[in-house]
Amino acid sequence: MRHGQTEMNVHLGSHFTPAEGYEDPLLYDTRLTEEGKAQAVLARVDAKALSPKPEVLITSPLTRALHTAELAFGESLGRPTIVEPTCSERIWLSSDVGRQPKELQQDFPMVNFDSLEDVWWHNNGSGDVQHILAETPDEFEARMGAFRMYLRQRPEKVLAVVTHFGVLEHMTGHRFTNCEIWSCLWEDGYCSAEHDGIQL
């Protein structure tokens, strides 16, 4: 599942794709808009329809994914909910820079962030937590390989993942819209074969 509409999605919708001369609006760890929250609530119908039922909910530690997971899978938060930094968005802009676990814990008290390092996003040891260090294609590819390995090593057979456009496009070849959900089978670490037709 991709997260709901964000402040940065709206901004980029009215500006050219980031290029030379583009001025980042500095929407660090961008939040869901009211429309994005509504999208996530509506997605509960598809989330509840998932069959077989997910045994675990895995989410990116970026706030837009966490909030979407909370709204769409809220009734599922009693089952294991895991934050996994390898499925965060590729860092292009301020919106892709994360927050430290102590801040996230305040907003999402039902989620355990103990496994996260203080600076879990791509930062290369910069002392500035707001430093925007874009990931190269090779760096992103390596991280996606780590995420595929992580999924293969999970003991569960059915997993729900809330993540981002870049991650989902890389793993499926599909350009997901906000709060779009697919149910798919995993073959060699890639999502293939739509299942049960929930566009899904």
Side-chain angles (χ1 to χ4, degrees), residues 40-193:
V41 170
L42 286 173
R44 287 179 188 170
V45 174
D46 285 345
K48 287 182 179 180
L50 291 173
S51 179
K53 298 296 183 185
E55 301 166 58
V56 64
L57 175 59
I58 297 167
T59 176
S60 156
L62 287 168
T63 294
R64 56 194 184 268
L66 285 161
H67 200 176
T68 298
E70 180 180 64
L71 294 173
F73 290 89
E75 295 181 1
S76 304
L77 290 179
R79 75 187 64 188
T81 301
I82 299 170
V83 288
E84 176 48 46
T86 57
C87 72
S88 62
E89 183 60 290
R90 179 178 175 182
I91 293 188
W92 291 101
L93 300 166
S94 59
S95 53
D96 307 317
V97 173
R99 291 190 292 158
Q100 295 179 308
K102 61 185 178 183
E103 297 178 66
L104 295 171
Q105 193 72 73
Q106 293 176 354
D107 290 343
F108 304 99
M110 297 297 291
V111 179
N112 188 328
F113 296 97
D114 290 348
S115 63
L116 287 184
E117 297 180 0
D118 277 350
V119 181
W120 51 265
W121 58 94
H122 181 66
N123 182 274
N124 277 7
S126 168
D128 180 3
V129 296
Q130 292 193 323
H131 179 57
I132 304 168
L133 181 63
E135 285 180 276
T136 66
D138 286 347
E139 288 169 332
F140 183 64
E141 175 68 37
R143 181 156 63 81
M144 290 299 91
F147 181 52
R148 290 193 296 270
M149 179 64 71
Y150 170 82
L151 292 177
R152 286 197 294 268
Q153 292 177 342
R154 292 292 312 176
E156 302 86 2
K157 297 297 185 183
V158 184
L159 306 89
V161 178
V162 180
T163 183
H164 307 273
F165 178 91
V167 174
L168 290 165
E169 183 183 35
H170 184 275
M171 302 188 80
T172 69
H174 177 70
R175 298 171 67 86
F176 279 64
T177 58
N178 292 118
C179 281
E180 183 174 356
I181 299 176
W182 270 26
S183 178
C184 57
L185 303 176
W186 285 96
E187 297 177 355
D188 298 323
Y190 290 89
C191 187
S192 64

